[in-house]
């Protein structure tokens, strides 16, 4: 399939503008029961409690910012949903993070939005000896993904499992997940979210259990998912990279576009 934007420059500012337009301002619902709304200068996603609920994009000016923030709190509170305001480093106004904290949000750890041309990434990164990749297609595979996430990150990943089950049941072509097995034991897992009609596919949840880190599994899973994205017609893969992942991704050819920080509001 020919790229949709064959002349799109690969400099970070152009990629960021494309990402903002396709993945934030023109975002589409993900998973059953979800909807995306544009209300004034805010684009938000609302769905079941186990889905991702939050603000995807905002283009706010100083005079209306606090009222817009309060309106989002009212919206999600009325639905009984905790939510996230996904704040990017170039969003306006410049003090939006301070305003969110003043309104009762809690800031998480910042990450770096990175992107690369999928077809240009290494395609044959070898797996450690004795490790095989297996596509996740059913509940048993999802349970293995959840197990890896909880062991790797030390967090409750039940909601991720429910989201993945929902997506596999409702639209299996929009998400693919893979688990790495060593003698039948899940030791690494990751998923790829495909966004039909856009140039981007998202790399999410790449995690490896302690004892298997530093053996190339992260690179192998990036390579595997980039190959799938390219084969499905997506020009770019993007990732919200933690500090530990950023050097690996940079060496693979990813560009740093901006930072992203989750601001959460609990109802």
């Amino acid at each position: 399939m020919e790229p949709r934007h064959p002349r799109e420059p690969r400099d970070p500012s152009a990629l960021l503008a494309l990402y903002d337009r396709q993945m934030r301002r023109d975002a589409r619902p993900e998973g059953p029961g979800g909807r995306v709304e544009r209300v004034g200068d805010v684009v938000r996603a609302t769905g079941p409690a186990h889905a991702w609920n939050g603000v995807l994009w905002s283009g706010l000016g100083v005079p209306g910012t606090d009222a817009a923030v309060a309106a989002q709190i009212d919206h999600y509170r009325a639905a009984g949903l905790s939510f996230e305001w996904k704040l990017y480093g170039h969003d306006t106004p410049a003090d939006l993070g301070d305003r969110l904290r003043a309104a009762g949000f809690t800031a998480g750890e910042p990450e770096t939005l990175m992107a690369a041309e999928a077809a240009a990434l290494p395609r044959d990164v070898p797996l450690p000896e004795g490790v095989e990749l297996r596509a996740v297609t059913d509940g048993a595979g999802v349970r293995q993904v959840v197990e890896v996430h909880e062991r790797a990150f030390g967090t409750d990943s039940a909601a991720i499992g429910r989201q993945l089950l929902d997506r596999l049941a409702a639209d299996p072509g929009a998400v693919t997940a893979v688990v790495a097995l060593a003698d039948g034991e899940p030791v690494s897992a990751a998923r790829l979210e495909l966004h039909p009609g856009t140039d981007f596919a998202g790399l999410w949840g790449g995690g490896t259990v302690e004892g298997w880190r530093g053996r190339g599994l992260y690179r192998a899973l990036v390579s595997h998912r980039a190959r799938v994205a390219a084969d499905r017609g997506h020009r770019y893969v993007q990732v919200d990279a933690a500090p530990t992942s950023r050097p690996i991704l940079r060496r693979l050819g990813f560009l740093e576009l901006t930072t992203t920080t989750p601001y959460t509001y609990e109802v």
Side-chain angles (χ1 to χ4, degrees):
M1 179 181 295
E2 289 297 318
R4 277 176 287 274
H5 297 276
R7 296 183 179 85
E8 192 76 36
R10 289 191 66 252
D11 67 272
S13 60
L15 276 177
L16 181 57
L18 184 66
Y19 179 86
D20 276 346
R21 176 168 59 82
Q22 291 189 352
M23 304 302 297
R24 302 181 68 202
R25 294 199 303 272
D26 297 337
R28 302 177 186 184
E30 295 181 2
R35 67 183 189 275
V36 172
E37 305 167 300
R38 179 159 185 168
V39 182
D41 291 319
V42 171
V43 175
R44 67 191 182 205
T46 308
H50 64 273
W52 188 88
N53 290 281
V55 173
L56 293 157
W57 175 84
S58 63
L60 301 172
V62 172
T65 295
D66 293 335
V69 170
Q72 307 320 307
I73 293 173
D74 290 344
H75 166 75
Y76 288 103
R77 183 182 285 150
L81 296 170
S82 298
F83 72 104
E84 176 184 319
W85 192 301
K86 195 169 174 65
L87 181 64
Y88 290 78
H90 59 293
D91 288 346
T92 58
D95 65 346
L96 181 52
D98 293 335
R99 292 170 182 266
L100 291 173
R101 282 189 290 269
F105 288 78
T106 301
E109 291 298 320
E111 296 179 315
T112 302
L113 175 65
M114 304 181 74
E117 196 156 353
L121 293 175
R123 296 179 68 89
D124 297 309
V125 176
L127 289 164
E129 185 176 353
V131 175
E132 63 170 333
L133 295 186
R134 183 173 298 173
V136 174
T137 59
D138 56 17
V142 171
R143 286 191 292 274
Q144 290 181 323
V145 171
V146 171
E147 177 187 339
V148 169
H149 278 59
E150 292 183 340
R151 291 174 61 193
F153 302 121
T155 57
D156 184 347
S157 299
I160 292 174
R162 290 190 64 187
Q163 292 173 29
L164 184 52
L165 281 172
D166 283 353
R167 299 287 297 280
L168 288 172
D171 189 5
V175 63
T176 181
V178 63
V179 62
L181 302 173
D183 296 324
E185 177 189 0
V187 296
S188 189
R191 67 188 189 277
L192 172 72
E193 296 189 0
L194 301 151
H195 304 279
T198 77
D199 290 277
F200 292 91
L203 306 180
W204 297 97
T208 301
V209 302
E210 192 172 359
W212 281 91
R213 295 169 187 164
R215 303 193 193 187
L217 278 170
Y218 182 82
R219 294 177 69 252
L221 291 180
V222 169
S223 173
H224 172 81
R225 289 176 290 166
R227 184 167 62 250
V228 172
D231 291 345
R232 299 278 188 91
H234 295 274
R235 185 173 183 186
Y236 301 108
V237 285
Q238 57 83 202
V239 58
D240 291 350
T244 51
S245 303
R246 192 165 61 240
I248 302 172
L249 294 167
R250 190 184 298 118
R251 287 193 295 270
L252 287 172
F254 281 75
L255 299 175
E256 298 182 13
L257 306 185
T258 187
T259 59
T260 176
T261 304
Y263 283 77
T264 56
Y265 191 96
E266 302 291 337
V267 300

